[in-house]
Every structure is written in structure tokens, then in C-alpha cells.
Amino acid sequence: MAASGPARSAPAVTASAVPIEIGGATLVPVPFDALPGFPGRDPAAALEAFQQVCAAPMPATPQAAGVAGDAAALSAACSAASGVGPDSASTFFRDRFDAFRVVRPAAERPGFLTGYFEPELEGSLAPGPDFETPVLARPDDLVSLSPGETRPGLDPALRAGRATADGLTPYPDRAAIEDGALGAHARPILWLRDAVDLLVLQVQGSGRVRLPDGGTVRVLYDGRNGQPYTAVAKLIVQEGHLPLEGLTLARWTGWLRAHPETARRLIRANASYIFFRLSEVADPALGPPGAANAPLTPGRSLAVDAGVWRYGLPFWLAGQLPGGAPGEAGRLVVAADTGSAIVGPARGDLFVGTGAQAGIAAGNLRDAVGFVVLLPKAAPGREVAP
């Protein structure tokens, strides 16, 4: 279960507790009745997303021990959720959790929400004239580092290294990989139309690929070279090729295809490189597994800073969200993923869905919203850590 892990001893956290300091923010207790619109439309969808995380196997990369969300209390909430039906979703969240508003006193906005999606691309399991750009499997000499982990001789800023006879060395960057630095360690698992499609796949971290025979495969994140990430769209704006206003995914990827020489230079300026593995599409209605190992639920799965929050924690996002009804006051979502650009206690990335329309919605989602975290209550007779 993704929510499990060692519990820490700390003062009890209840709705009447004193504010808690975490990640540069203050968690201020707030009654559920003081959250306009809570629990929003269809709380059963949030319950289902919570149950998905509860049922998932432990992540390959464990979270740090100090993240917020008492592991034992969250595990108990998971056990209780297994017997809860859709009609009792609202009562479940109110009974098993306490709400805390995430307050950043010096911040200009309460929190910032963006969106991401699962792209649908065209590809082939064999190279050909229409599919010449390889998608690479994880190399066997790639060593990924856990959060906070460092290795002798390796820059602490690097999050992966290359295993050699003399120890770890920095893993080749994107340009070097494209120039053949991996040698026999480069193992293609799929071929896409061009480098722009590969970039989209790597930025989103996963995707569905339609094959020439009409079949579909899912391509899942399986590690990165640990080099720093640079947003190519940001470089396009900085160099004056396109304005920031109205910069959609379709617009900047179209510009790259129309300017192949400049596109190659800008793409290679992003040193980060993602490796993948193939998987079946078990349920077309759900997205790929997130970092919590649970399938992502469109509109309900949230990527958070995994160094601050434990996977499985519910959040109330105060504000109008994509796909919501007019006048929607907020939405109940569940922490199920993370991302290198998602940093801080009031920063989130909402999984919007799969395909072109989801991509448009994700690109348009850049909004200030309020973050309210739901921390699990302790079982009677024991204390719970934040």
C-alpha cells in the first residue's frame, strides 16, 4: 500500500491543534463547514482515486521519513476506505481527516496549480521511414538516486549517475545521448515520428502510442539521466520566437516542426533525458501509474512535492478547475504523483486526462488556487505525526 511507512512520534494533530509549520508554510486548522462547497461535486470520484492509491504497491523510490501525513494514520484510513461505498464518500472524508489550510504569509498567491496529461502519439515497434526517432529503454548502467541521497564524487545536484569500474560518473546529457554516447546501452523499444513527439513524451513522462496495426501501447517513465531539466517552450519565448501569451502545446510544437534547425538546438539544450518501458492499456478511462504506483484518475489525481507531502493525502483545491460546473467552489483531489517542477507545499499539477483535448486543457491550466490538505486523524488512544 502506497500510504504505508514508518510513523514518527509527534504531538496530536486535530482540527483544534495549533498551526503546524511545514515547507515554509503554515498549516492552519479549518473546519470543513468553513470550506465553501466542500466536498464538491461527486466526492465518490475522489474516494475512488484515494482507494486506487491505497491499493497500489509501494513506490520503487520511497518517500523521505519526514513528509507530512502520518503513515500509520493514513494506512488506517486506507483500511477504512475499503468498505466505504460511493454514497458515503463525503462522510468518510469528514470523519477520517482534519482539514488544514496551507498558508504562505509572504506569498503573492495562495497556491499555484498547473495541469499535465497523457499524450496520444503515433509510433511503431519497428523503425521505418515514417518512424525514425527511437524511444530508449532504461540503460543497465543507469543508477538513480533517492531523494536526499548523494554519492562520493558525484555532484549533489545530479539525481542519477553512470556505473563504471571506477564508481559513479555523471550520466551523459541529452546531446551526448543523441550523439551515441550510450553505445550498446541504447536499446530502442519504440519509434516515433520525430524528435518533437519524443520531447512531448518526455515532458509528460508517459503516453499512449497508436501502432500501424491499430493497436495501442502505453509508454511509461522508467528513469532519467539526472541532468537538469530546461523547458524548451521557455527557451522559445526567451529567444523571441513566440510570445508567452497564448503559448499552447500545439503552437510551440508546431513552431519547432516548422524550424527544424533551431528546434534541434533548443531541444538539445535540455540536458534531461527520460527512459521508458512498455505496458498494456488496462483501463482506457484511467491514466498511467503515477509515482505512487496507482493509475491516475483524470481530474482527481494531483502531482505534489513528494519531499513535503505523503502520497495518498487528499487535498481540497479552492477555485474553479477545468471541467467543473459553473460556479464550482473547489474540488477534492488525491496526491498520487510528483514532478521535478512541482516544488513547495502549495504547488500542484493536476492530471487532466489523455489525448489532444486533455493537452489543450492542461496547457490552459495555470491558476492561483487555495490548497487545503486533509491529514488523517489518529486512531483513538494514540498520537499522530503531521
Side-chain angles (χ1 to χ4, degrees), residues 143-336:
V143 178
S144 301
L145 303 185
S146 301
E149 181 182 2
T150 59
R151 294 291 186 91
L154 196 66
D155 188 333
L158 300 178
R159 303 315 311 146
R162 192 175 198 178
T164 71
D166 298 322
L168 288 187
T169 62
Y171 213 81
D173 63 14
R174 174 180 297 272
I177 291 173
E178 290 183 354
D179 290 341
L182 298 190
H185 295 288
R187 296 180 293 111
I189 57 173
L190 190 77
W191 280 261
L192 300 176
R193 290 186 303 166
D194 55 29
V196 178
D197 273 356
L198 177 61
L199 177 65
V200 170
L201 179 66
Q202 292 181 323
V203 169
Q204 299 302 323
S206 64
R208 295 186 198 182
V209 177
R210 296 188 300 274
L211 303 175
D213 64 1
T216 303
V217 295
R218 178 166 267 150
V219 189
L220 299 179
Y221 173 94
D222 200 23
R224 59 189 292 261
N225 64 344
Q227 296 282 351
Y229 169 75
T230 300
V232 175
K234 184 177 180 179
L235 296 179
I236 293 173
V237 173
Q238 288 178 341
E239 293 192 2
H241 303 300
L242 290 174
L244 178 59
E245 184 176 357
L247 188 67
T248 63
L249 174 69
R251 189 176 185 190
W252 66 261
T253 55
W255 186 91
L256 288 174
R257 288 194 172 96
H259 302 83
E261 293 297 326
T262 306
R264 183 174 187 271
R265 174 177 61 80
L266 294 179
I267 292 174
R268 287 164 67 92
N270 173 26
S272 177
Y273 196 93
I274 307 298
F275 302 100
F276 295 93
R277 60 185 175 89
L278 297 181
S279 177
E280 296 181 356
V281 181
D283 186 345
L286 295 176
N293 265 342
L296 299 175
T297 302
R300 296 290 178 170
S301 293
L302 185 71
V304 298
D305 187 337
V308 177
W309 304 114
R310 189 176 300 279
Y311 298 135
L313 288 177
F315 284 80
W316 173 251
L317 301 179
Q320 181 77 38
L321 273 66
E328 179 186 45
R331 187 180 303 173
L332 193 56
V333 300
V334 177

Side-chain angles (χ1 to χ4, degrees), residues 58-79:
M58 289 291 292
T61 302
Q63 292 185 265
V67 296
D70 182 82
L74 191 55
S75 180
C78 280
S79 297

Side-chain angles (χ1 to χ4, degrees), residues 73-139:
L74 191 55
S75 180
C78 280
S79 297
S82 64
V84 177
D87 293 341
S88 301
S90 177
T91 301
F92 167 78
F93 286 111
R94 290 174 180 270
D95 288 350
R96 301 295 310 198
F97 295 87
D98 288 320
F100 294 81
R101 194 181 306 278
V102 181
V103 178
R104 300 179 301 159
E108 295 181 359
R109 54 193 175 193
F112 186 51
L113 182 69
T114 53
Y116 69 114
F117 74 111
E118 181 186 34
E120 277 190 318
L121 307 169
E122 294 182 1
S124 173
L125 297 176
D130 294 328
F131 303 106
E132 299 181 332
T133 300
V135 176
L136 299 184
R138 180 188 178 97

